[in-house]
Amino acid sequence: SLSLSLSVGEISTELAGPDIEGVYETKVPALFRLIVELGCACSVSSEHARFRSLTNDVSDTYELENLQFKSEAETNYMNNIRYLYFYEINSSGGVRRQMQYSNKHTTI
């Protein structure tokens, strides 16, 4: 059996073994697949950005293949954030969750 301490590479190697017929995902949201593929930061590929500017395309919809992963070294993703606040509000309309991030300590 596979141990949970295996690295991603070891798991991938194990799943690609000759005795594995297939790996199936059910009920995996598209947003989760996007995050797994691109990570925490991404950008529009320069080729696609150039194409959109030449064709005056101003839509805010992109295909996955037009986005590219950005490493932490290439971005300052959340570098200046010192505080994260999580709120959960229960009301007759249901539960609403919200996250706020800030450089400053705030109180409600």
Side-chain angles (χ1 to χ4, degrees):
S1 73
L2 290 175
S3 167
L4 291 178
S5 64
L6 290 176
S7 72
V8 173
E10 291 171 316
I11 292 172
S12 295
T13 301
E14 196 68 33
L15 292 175
D19 56 334
I20 304 293
E21 289 184 28
V23 177
Y24 302 95
E25 298 174 345
T26 60
K27 300 181 184 175
V28 177
L31 181 59
F32 180 78
R33 290 176 197 233
L34 177 73
I35 292 170
V36 167
E37 177 123 358
L38 292 175
C40 64
C42 69
S43 68
V44 177
S45 70
S46 56
E47 298 84 22
H48 189 68
R50 195 170 21 262
F51 169 78
R52 288 181 76 145
S53 69
L54 291 172
T55 59
N56 294 322
D57 184 352
V58 294
S59 68
D60 61 356
T61 305
Y62 298 93
E63 296 294 326
L64 181 58
E65 63 266 7
N66 297 325
L67 301 175
Q68 59 190 21
F69 166 78
K70 290 294 213 182
S71 70
E72 288 184 43
E74 296 174 288
T75 64
N76 32 343
Y77 176 72
M78 298 183 90
N79 283 350
N80 297 324
I81 295 179
R82 297 179 61 195
Y83 300 97
L84 287 173
Y85 301 94
F86 297 93
Y87 303 99
E88 184 172 287
I89 301 160
N90 293 302
S91 67
S92 60
V95 177
R96 197 174 110 213
R97 293 177 182 89
Q98 180 178 357
M99 180 180 77
Q100 172 190 350
Y101 50 90
S102 174
N103 294 351
K104 301 173 187 159
H105 179 70
T106 60
T107 59
I108 298 179

